[in-house]
Amino acid sequence: VEWCDEAGEVLCAVPRREVHRLDLLHRGIGVVVRDASGGVYVHRRAASKRMYPSMLDMFVGGLSRPGEELAETAARELLEELNIAVARPAEDLSPLFRVTISTPLNKCVVSVFQMACTQEQARGVRFSDGEIQWGRFMSVGELEELVQREREGFVPDGMQVWDALQDQGIEW
């Protein structure tokens, strides 16, 4: 994992367990996955996850490997978590913004991307790595209602990214 400064500049590589044990700021990504009708993919994390088991999330997320470009991290996580292959990460993923999140378990500079799935990609969603229990595409309105009803049931990291998305007035 890449330990970084507040600007997201990499300082050095550090083992993942040390990043969390020492509460170091590190680089990661979040991807909003959209279908052809504009729906957002929302999922429940697996009960076996070390951080935030069985919680809801509207982002596919992960940490950058040392030397990995952020768009490549996003493409790798999409393939691992949802079986969505991204042939040209720099062209197929739209960068939205960057935000620093801080929770009791995680401090991360998150680069947020948006992925517009083809119908074929949306139909091919599978949970091949066991990190997700279930998921589905829902309209932005449905997601907003779900967040209002069950905010405490969402991953705190994702809620901080969600709040930043709302604060910045980004259209999606």
Side-chain angles (χ1 to χ4, degrees):
V1 177
E2 294 180 324
W3 176 24
C4 68
D5 64 18
E6 292 179 6
E9 296 299 318
V10 175
L11 301 172
C12 67
V14 178
R16 184 181 190 130
R17 68 184 175 282
E18 294 301 302
V19 162
H20 292 291
R21 186 179 72 78
L22 298 172
D23 200 26
L24 300 176
L25 187 62
H26 53 281
R27 285 189 337 146
I29 58 87
V31 183
V32 177
V33 181
R34 308 295 297 269
D35 66 8
S37 65
V40 177
Y41 197 80
V42 178
H43 63 274
R44 182 173 302 282
R45 293 166 59 89
S48 60
K49 293 290 287 180
R50 184 179 64 82
M51 292 174 59
Y52 309 119
S54 301
M55 295 189 85
L56 295 166
D57 205 351
M58 71 284 284
F59 300 98
V60 170
L63 304 181
S64 297
R65 294 176 177 160
E68 187 175 48
E69 294 294 325
L70 292 165
E72 291 173 7
T73 302
R76 176 175 50 78
E77 291 292 341
L78 285 164
L79 185 61
E80 289 175 6
E81 294 185 20
L82 298 182
N83 194 44
I84 296 175
V86 180
R88 302 165 312 172
E91 292 85 23
D92 296 340
L93 298 169
S94 303
L96 295 178
F97 65 100
R98 186 170 64 192
V99 61
T100 299
I101 60 102
S102 181
T103 68
L105 298 179
N106 202 15
K107 284 176 42 179
C108 189
V109 176
V110 180
S111 294
V112 183
F113 294 87
Q114 182 167 257
M115 166 74 183
C117 287
T118 65
Q119 287 182 344
E120 183 179 339
Q121 286 170 318
R123 282 193 306 268
V125 168
R126 304 283 179 276
F127 316 132
S128 53
D129 72 355
E131 292 190 24
I132 296 175
Q133 288 181 20
W134 65 262
R136 72 175 181 90
F137 286 97
M138 61 178 61
S139 71
V140 172
E142 285 178 285
L143 175 56
E144 290 171 340
E145 289 175 18
L146 184 60
V147 167
Q148 282 187 334
R149 273 195 331 268
E150 298 185 40
R151 185 176 180 91
E152 297 303 315
F154 278 85
V155 172
D157 301 22
M159 289 312 308
Q160 287 187 18
V161 175
W162 168 266
D163 291 342
L165 185 76
Q166 304 305 309
D167 291 347
Q168 293 188 26
I170 294 174
E171 277 297 314
W172 58 310

